[in-house]
Amino acid sequence: MDTPRVAVVLVGRNPTPALLSSLTLPADRIVLLSSDGTRPLAERTAAALARLAPDRTVRVEGVGPDPHDPAGVTAALERIHRDHGAAPRHLDYTGGTKVMSVAAALYRGGAAAGPEATAFSCHYLDPASDLLRPVDPGEPPLPVADAGIDLGVLAGVHGARWLSDRDPATVRAALRGGARTLREAFPGLHPTEVRGVVNEADVLRHLRRITRGREGVEVLGPRRVADPRHPADSIADFDALVRFRHRVLCVEVKSGAEEVVARAGWTVAKARRVFGNVAKVLFVHTGPAVPGLRERIAAHSPALSSSQVQVWSLDDLRSRLTDAEALRKVFFPGQAAPAPAARAVVPSAVRPVAPPVATPAPVCAVTGASAAPILVTALGSSRLGLLSAVHAHRPERALLLSSRQGVRAGVREAAARALYAAEHPGTPVPDADGLRASGHRDRIRFAADPVDGSSAGSVADAAHTWIAGMRAEDPGRPVVVDVTTGTKAMSLGLALAARRSGACVACQVVRDRKVVCLTHGGAAVQGRAVVDWSLVLDGYAPLAGPLADAVCPQGAAQVDVPLVAAAAERLVRAASGPVGLWVDRSLADPPAADTARERPALVLTFDDRALGLAAPTWSRPVRSGAVRRVSRGAWAQSVSAATGHLNLRCDVAGKVMALTRPGGDVGRAAELVAWITHEEPEEGGGDGWGFGDPQRPVLVVADPAVPPGLWDIDASSL
């Protein structure tokens, strides 16, 4: 009997890559590996695969509640190995956390397996080329297979479904005969509504005409997304949807250009929630094109790049999109022709042979070394993880790999301060000259050249070469590779270099303040890292006085400053340890203050943890000088943007508390925030908060005169 070909596919908050990889990998058994938090997405993906690929079996396996704990990943792979009678052949690490990816990639068939054991064939989905690329450059990439996928499937794996599978009756009437037929069928419609429906029908008619007969293209008219908490109601809607293979363009039709700016943030948020991060948005407005409108959207919502959001007039749409190929070139460049689905009956291939593996060091650099180790780690978007690594390992020497030169500024000095403070707790940290004199600065080094952050092989070669050089200089000193920070490819490359050199592979479990060696086990981190928050929180400055004094009138129109100040005062009073206060610089800068609602207004730092306070106002001034009420969706999107802003800088050591006052649309806004952040209807609602899930903010409805109990929690002890 042939040994089954088993593929393990990691599932994160965006399940689309897992769906595509499962359809593409040459395997007859697919195991979707998820944490407890992403299990619902994995189960929906498994249900979709059962319909799309009935020739292969699919199951969901869990790693437990913490996707940053490697022990849960290893235990899950042991179960998979035991249940299938063979070690998995393929791994797609596009989804899941970096720790999940590294722990899975290093699995070699159990603790009893020797160095000669074969490893996974590791792949990741390259969104630019739609290829499933192997880590081993000797293996050919696989064109992504997406046969059978439609808009309903893509929305379904994200937990979204349409309230109706038909175009609305009003749009169908307008498609048949324009405004006259619409008015005859619906005489009670207001003239403004008539114009809006006719515009939607015009756009839909044009998109269907130019794509008719094109393989792999699907166009839907207006669709309403069912609310998971109120199934008979909608939580979001789209005016038109275009699918090219597995990519999606969400189209919004507006009666005027001014409507676009106010709706851009929420439109992108709902598009990403329903179709994943690769969804694009096109705004189509009536009237002439407005110069600089795209730039105004970027100024209003800095996270919305031109690659994600386009703004065209209706006339532009008709003149520029003359056929399906023009649409593809503008919105879906680089899309290859559809690939046939990978079948389980492909000829059996020889298992990939990994590079030579050295015997693991007998003494763990994390748990058992008597001498300070040599540390190799990466510099990612969050400097905090790197500083924590230096504190946790207290290395004799450290090599920092970066993917580009620009992110290095100030990092070496900050790492030297963290190292000195770890070795001399309670002692004042010297200045730059003192750190140089003590030798701490020279113990921190950058690689001479940046590495390709998307190539695990390049990172592995660079790290392996440096480790070999250090061992030649200092034989016998233990070596540890910390994979907590950097891109996934960088973390995997570092782990492969450690495997080849016999070094320990370690990761920080921030939630429990411990560091874990994937071979030998874990140990508690002693003390807390001294963090240079001015480096970590770029765009923020120390708050030297009352918050109101650091905010200009334009900033006060974007953020509820008194509410933020009241929360900060209580949280500082409740803390048993020192607290740092960092204010968003844009609040004091009139030209930049218009975007302040998209960031935490104030960040409280507790040693090596950060709590961001975000309180977007429920009204905002517009260009005419009038004050416009903010929609519930726009408010929720601002909270989501602020959460992403802090997450990029602090990762799992950061948390956002979103603040608002009682009354109005607060309840519905809270539901929208939960929906955007993939919180299942049965989740949430607890009485406390903590660090560990940085992508889900804590929503607090409070009156400063009646402070809630959540403000009296000692955040420094969490």
Side-chain angles (χ1 to χ4, degrees), residues 7 17 23 40 58 75 102 116 127 167 173 224 408 421-422 445 489 506 508 603 629 641 648 650 666-667 672 681 700:
L23 292 171
V58 184
V102 170
E116 73 282 356
D167 295 342
R224 299 168 66 211
R408 296 184 175 191
R445 304 182 185 181
Q508 302 166 56
V603 178
R629 177 74 176 172
L648 187 66
C650 300
V666 169
L672 293 176
V700 179

Side-chain angles (χ1 to χ4, degrees), residues 295-335:
E295 289 71 22
R296 283 173 54 197
I297 291 176
H300 189 272
S301 301
L304 306 185
S305 66
S306 58
S307 64
Q308 298 167 322
V309 182
Q310 294 288 328
V311 184
W312 291 10
S313 70
L314 185 55
D315 290 340
D316 283 339
L317 180 81
R318 291 170 175 147
S319 62
R320 295 176 64 179
L321 298 185
T322 55
D323 55 30
E325 184 60 17
L327 182 144
R328 186 198 66 78
K329 288 181 178 179
V330 172
F331 295 106
F332 308 106
Q335 293 278 288

Side-chain angles (χ1 to χ4, degrees), residues 193-509:
E193 294 178 282
V194 171
R195 288 195 298 272
V197 172
V198 170
N199 291 337
E200 289 179 11
D202 286 347
V203 170
L204 181 59
R205 182 185 298 108
H206 182 76
L207 292 173
R208 284 177 171 166
R209 181 181 62 80
I210 65 172
T211 59
R212 187 174 293 116
R214 177 68 180 253
E215 183 183 3
V217 177
E218 177 186 10
V219 178
L220 295 182
R223 289 296 187 271
R224 299 168 66 211
V225 180
D227 187 336
R229 288 171 170 78
H230 312 282
D233 300 327
S234 68
I235 196 166
D237 62 82
F238 301 98
D239 293 338
L241 296 166
V242 180
R243 177 186 61 83
F244 187 88
R245 296 188 58 200
H246 56 271
R247 301 299 183 98
V248 180
L249 176 67
C250 303
V251 183
E252 290 284 307
V253 183
K254 299 300 177 186
S255 298
E258 289 300 320
E259 288 186 65
V260 173
V261 177
R263 298 289 296 176
W266 168 240
T267 300
V268 172
K270 67 185 181 183
R272 289 175 177 172
R273 174 59 180 82
V274 175
F275 295 111
N277 294 335
V278 296
K280 296 185 177 182
V281 171
L282 170 64
F283 283 100
V284 179
H285 65 83
T286 56
V290 178
L293 188 59
R294 180 68 199 75
E295 289 71 22
R296 283 173 54 197
I297 291 176
H300 189 272
S301 301
L304 306 185
S305 66
S306 58
S307 64
Q308 298 167 322
V309 182
Q310 294 288 328
V311 184
W312 291 10
S313 70
L314 185 55
D315 290 340
D316 283 339
L317 180 81
R318 291 170 175 147
S319 62
R320 295 176 64 179
L321 298 185
T322 55
D323 55 30
E325 184 60 17
L327 182 144
R328 186 198 66 78
K329 288 181 178 179
V330 172
F331 295 106
F332 308 106
Q335 293 278 288
R343 309 298 295 178
V345 296
V346 295
S348 179
V350 176
R351 292 286 305 280
V353 178
V357 175
T359 302
V363 178
C364 178
V366 174
T367 62
S370 58
I374 293 170
L375 169 67
V376 185
T377 191
L379 174 61
S381 57
S382 170
R383 278 80 159 179
L384 183 54
L386 183 148
L387 300 179
S388 298
V390 170
H391 169 85
H393 299 290
R394 295 161 169 77
E396 175 62 26
R397 293 185 185 179
L399 174 70
L400 313 181
L401 298 176
S402 68
S403 59
R404 60 186 191 279
Q405 294 280 15
V407 299
R408 296 184 175 191
V411 172
R412 189 177 183 187
E413 289 73 17
R417 284 194 289 273
L419 178 59
Y420 185 96
E423 294 180 342
H424 303 85
T427 303
V429 178
D431 59 14
D433 291 337
L435 290 171
R436 189 175 289 105
S438 68
H440 284 79
R441 188 180 186 279
D442 291 336
R443 289 164 61 184
I444 308 294
R445 304 182 185 181
F446 270 107
D449 300 306
V451 297
D452 182 355
S454 63
S455 171
S458 298
V459 174
D461 290 343
H464 181 66
T465 299
W466 193 80
I467 291 172
M470 287 297 96
R471 281 192 163 148
E473 291 182 19
D474 194 356
R477 186 173 293 277
V479 179
V480 60
V481 170
D482 193 301
V483 299
T484 309
T485 62
T487 64
K488 269 196 176 184
M490 292 177 77
S491 295
L492 184 57
L494 288 173
L496 295 176
R499 174 74 72 178
R500 287 159 57 183
S501 61
C504 291
V505 180
C507 64
Q508 302 166 56
V509 183

Side-chain angles (χ1 to χ4, degrees), residues 484-563:
T484 309
T485 62
T487 64
K488 269 196 176 184
M490 292 177 77
S491 295
L492 184 57
L494 288 173
L496 295 176
R499 174 74 72 178
R500 287 159 57 183
S501 61
C504 291
V505 180
C507 64
Q508 302 166 56
V509 183
V510 180
R511 185 198 304 265
D512 300 326
R513 280 201 171 91
K514 67 179 181 180
V515 60
V516 176
C517 171
L518 272 63
T519 301
H520 300 98
V525 175
Q526 301 302 312
R528 298 188 180 185
V530 171
V531 176
D532 184 348
W533 286 106
S534 64
L535 180 70
V536 175
L537 298 174
D538 56 298
Y540 286 78
L543 182 64
L547 179 60
D549 294 348
V551 181
C552 66
Q554 291 85 346
Q558 300 292 327
V559 174
D560 190 335
V561 175
L563 186 58

